[in-house]
């Protein structure tokens, strides 16, 4: 299997897990958002740290966290950690404030921004019907934005923080697990300080809300520990994929994530789909179908061209 195909499969799995993650965060809705973020960060650090130790790569991680690791280490890890932490908190906030539809809109906007970064920064280009796909996606976002009557600031901030994270990760010449371990290691001390403060002094909420900070009941304890896996696994998959697929594919594939979030928002959480959503969604799905079909055709053509090139080289060698 080619790197492109494995990257696509990893991306699909990551977006599926993110798409259904709202179900998990709904279960910890009674826990203050900053505390949930702290648990996400701390238990992700435990997960990644364990993996790194088992792999015997602790020295590599420690080097990556030093300033001398430079542009392929700390100077990329630090801003990536900042942007992903912001994105984590905004998603938690969206779920806890009954704005799951806004979260899904964020990830409908994200592909447009990702494609723009891909074209402007990484020299990628759209082909054929992918232009139509982009126009349909842009039109759908405009319909939602105008129809809902307010600028989607939460959605724009969520999508902006994640596209910056993806762009930074794309240029990072280290493996997915080691880079995520480094990000978690930078954030973990802040998370631990907050959790201790929440437990001892009740930071971030009322005493009743903070009761489960370190496991006052088994249900909350298990759920909050699970935050490490809920956070870490899709991030590893996304980081793996970001180095193997284009920024355009990275962005437009996110329609899968946002559509799952939308379905959960409506069918599980009972949030209302407006007329504007009913107009915009078919536009988005049509655009995604066109993009996927075009990408498939391009892949087939490139494979044929490679086979033809190999055949020609073989014939020249024989002659």
């Amino acid at each position: 299997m080619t790197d492109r195909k494995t990257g696509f499969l990893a991306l699909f799995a990551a977006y599926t897990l993110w798409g259904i993650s709202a179900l998990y965060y709904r279960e910890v809705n009674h826990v203050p958002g900053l505390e949930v973020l702290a648990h996400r960060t701390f238990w992700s650090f435990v997960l990644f740290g364990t993996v790194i130790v088992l792999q015997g790569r602790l020295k590599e991680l420690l080097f990556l966290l030093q300033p001398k690791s430079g542009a392929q280490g700390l100077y990329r890890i630090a801003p990536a950690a900042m942007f992903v932490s912001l994105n984590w908190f905004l998603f938690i906030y969206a779920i806890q404030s009954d704005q799951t539809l806004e979260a899904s809109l964020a990830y409908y906007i994200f592909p447009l921004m990702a494609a723009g970064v891909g074209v402007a920064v990484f020299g990628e280009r759209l082909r054929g019907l992918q232009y139509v796909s982009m126009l349909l996606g842009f039109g759908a976002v405009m319909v939602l934005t105008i129809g809902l009557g307010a600028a989607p600031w939460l959605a724009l901030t969520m999508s902006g923080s994640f596209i910056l994270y993806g762009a930074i990760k794309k240029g990072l010449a280290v493996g997915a697990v080691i880079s995520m371990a480094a990000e978690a290691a930078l954030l973990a001390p802040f998370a631990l300080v907050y959790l201790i403060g929440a437990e001892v002094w009740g930071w971030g909420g009322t005493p009743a809300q903070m009761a489960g900070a370190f496991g006052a009941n088994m249900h909350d304890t298990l759920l909050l520990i699970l935050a490490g896996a809920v956070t870490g696994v899709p991030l590893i998959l996304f980081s793996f994929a970001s180095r193997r697929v284009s920024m355009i594919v990275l962005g437009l594939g996110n329609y899968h994530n946002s559509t799952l979030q939308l379905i959960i928002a409506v069918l599980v959480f009972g949030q209302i789909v407006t007329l504007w959503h009913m107009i915009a969604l078919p536009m988005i799905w049509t655009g995604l179908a066109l993009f996927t079909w075009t990408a498939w055709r391009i892949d087939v053509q490139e494979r044929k061209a490679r086979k033809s090139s190999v055949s020609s080289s073989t014939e020249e060698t024989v002659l």
Side-chain angles (χ1 to χ4, degrees), residues 207-261:
Q209 287 177 313
M210 306 310 297
F214 280 98
N217 63 75
M218 186 58 68
H219 178 264
D220 286 354
T221 299
L222 294 176
L223 283 177
L224 292 171
I225 292 175
L226 185 61
V230 171
T231 300
V233 172
L235 276 171
I236 291 175
L237 292 169
F238 178 81
S239 185
F240 177 87
S242 68
R243 299 173 62 197
R244 289 165 174 79
V245 302
S246 70
M247 285 297 294
I248 296 172
V249 172
L250 202 67
L252 289 176
N254 197 53
Y255 285 132
H256 174 58
N257 169 18
S258 47
T259 300
L260 286 174
Q261 290 186 23

Side-chain angles (χ1 to χ4, degrees), residues 181-194:
E183 290 166 28
L186 287 178
L187 295 170
F190 300 99
L192 187 58
V193 167
Y194 182 87

Side-chain angles (χ1 to χ4, degrees), residues 20 49 60 142-143 177 203 212 255 257:
I20 63 175
E60 184 181 350
M142 291 304 297
V143 166
V177 175
W203 292 356
Y255 285 132
N257 169 18

